[in-house]
Amino acid sequence: MLYLLISILCSVSVGVFFKLLKKKSSVTVFLLVINYLIASLATYVLFRPQFDFSKLNWNYIIPLSLLLPTVFWILTIAINQSGIVKTDIAQRISLVIPILCSYWLFKEEISNFKLIGLIIGLIAVVFILQKNSRMKTSGTFSFYLLLTFLGYGIIDVLFKQIALHSQIPYTTSLFFIFIGALLVTTIYLCINQKAFKTIIIRHFINGIILGILNFSNIYFYLKAHQYFKENPTTVFASMNFGVIILGTLIGIVFFKEKLTKVNIIGLILALIAVAFIVIAQTKSI
């Protein structure tokens, strides 16, 4: 369980990290550049990826290289606008999107328990997206929370397709995805001249910290799956429950984030939805 605990802590720490920074978008892009540089180097050192370009599934690698930094940037805005609690829940409950895609696009059967979980999960999303009436931003729903939910759901779908590509190891594809994300963020950084003025040693160090946290989250999550290879649902459930609960506790206790009654109902429904989906995967009901 140590691998899972470290992965949960690193995942939540990324949100806490951005909540504490509250930096401008140009600084965020620079942090993402360093983040993907660290992730690329770590993946190369630990997994020694293959360089057989003909076997790579570029149809998924290229979109993921674009989506990962984009959705990560959206995540930082959602954290600062709506808080860690709502953002973590929106990110984790996005699991309903790949399940729906499995049914509609890939014609997989959905059990009754899983269907109940999906319905509860979608209701939870609506409740979680509800804004506090005292927030200055206009609109009933949080736009960036919605984009976080949709973005991570789509990313999960694409990663599942990468995992099914058996011609080359999953970690090799992951390496090239990180390299692609590094190129995307570097190009944007070069185009945005204002960003260069904000680059100082402190931001470089922050980028390294972010990269270590982000990669450690992925690395120890994979290690947990290897350790619990006979029961992957344990990893799936622990990760989702752990991040939602720990993120909620940190957001409320340390950052004094306020949740409406509707948001609290959404939080409870999100946990119930994950529970139903996990039970469905475990018991095949």
Side-chain angles (χ1 to χ4, degrees):
M1 292 299 288
L2 180 62
Y3 293 142
L4 263 175
L5 180 60
I6 296 173
S7 182
I8 291 168
L9 287 173
C10 289
S11 179
V12 176
S13 294
V14 170
V16 174
F17 181 79
F18 278 116
K19 183 74 173 179
L20 291 172
L21 282 179
K22 293 184 178 180
K23 294 298 181 182
K24 297 178 181 178
S25 60
S26 56
V27 176
T28 301
V29 174
F30 176 67
L31 294 178
L32 292 183
V33 171
I34 305 302
N35 164 65
Y36 289 118
L37 176 61
I38 297 296
S40 300
L41 291 173
T43 305
Y44 178 79
V45 171
L46 292 172
F47 302 119
R48 296 297 178 183
Q50 301 175 12
F51 286 88
D52 190 344
F53 296 99
S54 62
K55 292 182 179 179
L56 290 170
N57 196 335
W58 296 105
N59 291 332
Y60 297 113
I61 290 176
I62 293 174
L64 278 168
S65 297
L66 294 169
L67 275 174
L68 274 184
T70 302
V71 177
F72 209 155
W73 178 71
I74 290 170
L75 177 79
T76 64
I77 299 175
I79 288 170
N80 287 314
Q81 280 196 358
S82 302
I84 295 173
V85 179
K86 290 186 178 182
T87 306
D88 274 341
I89 299 171
Q91 182 182 355
R92 290 296 157 183
I93 202 64
S94 66
L95 63 94
V96 302
I97 293 177
I99 296 174
L100 287 172
C101 286
S102 296
Y103 175 72
W104 281 323
L105 299 180
F106 309 117
K107 307 303 179 183
E108 294 182 12
E109 292 186 6
I110 294 183
S111 65
N112 291 333
F113 253 58
K114 191 173 287 188
L115 181 61
I116 293 171
L118 288 175
I119 295 171
I120 295 174
L122 290 172
I123 296 172
V125 170
V126 176
F127 282 31
I128 292 161
L129 293 178
Q130 288 283 344
K131 285 184 178 179
N132 191 317
S133 60
R134 290 173 292 180
M135 294 180 70
K136 295 180 181 179
T137 49
S138 60
T140 306
F141 294 103
S142 175
F143 178 66
Y144 287 103
L145 276 180
L146 178 60
L147 289 182
T148 299
F149 167 74
L150 293 173
Y152 277 102
I154 294 169
I155 285 172
D156 198 11
V157 172
L158 294 176
F159 265 124
K160 286 183 184 299
Q161 294 308 300
I162 287 285
L164 293 174
H165 189 66
S166 58
Q167 287 185 303
I168 203 162
Y170 179 83
T171 49
T172 294
S173 297
L174 189 63
F175 171 74
F176 284 99
I177 290 167
F178 285 149
I179 289 292
L182 174 61
L183 290 174
V184 169
T185 49
T186 302
I187 290 171
Y188 180 81
L189 190 66
C190 292
I191 294 173
N192 185 1
Q193 295 181 357
K194 292 181 180 179
F196 283 107
K197 298 177 182 179
T198 64
I199 297 174
I200 56 177
I201 296 297
R202 178 163 53 87
H203 296 327
F204 186 80
I205 295 172
N206 285 337
I208 293 175
I209 294 171
L210 175 63
I212 293 172
L213 288 174
N214 200 29
F215 179 79
S216 296
N217 171 31
I218 297 170
Y219 177 73
F220 286 105
Y221 185 65
L222 291 174
K223 292 289 286 185
H225 268 295
Q226 290 176 344
Y227 187 79
F228 292 101
K229 58 184 177 182
E230 300 300 326
N231 191 9
T233 304
T234 299
V235 181
F236 174 81
S238 301
M239 188 67 188
N240 282 278
F241 279 122
V243 170
I244 290 174
I245 294 170
L246 182 60
T248 300
L249 289 174
I250 290 176
I252 293 174
V253 175
F254 291 99
F255 294 103
K256 309 300 180 185
E257 294 179 4
K258 303 295 183 182
L259 295 178
T260 64
K261 291 181 180 179
V262 173
N263 296 152
I264 294 172
I265 293 172
L267 167 62
I268 295 170
L269 288 175
L271 292 171
I272 294 172
V274 174
F276 266 94
I277 292 169
V278 168
I279 292 170
Q281 290 181 330
T282 307
K283 305 295 184 182
S284 298
I285 55 177

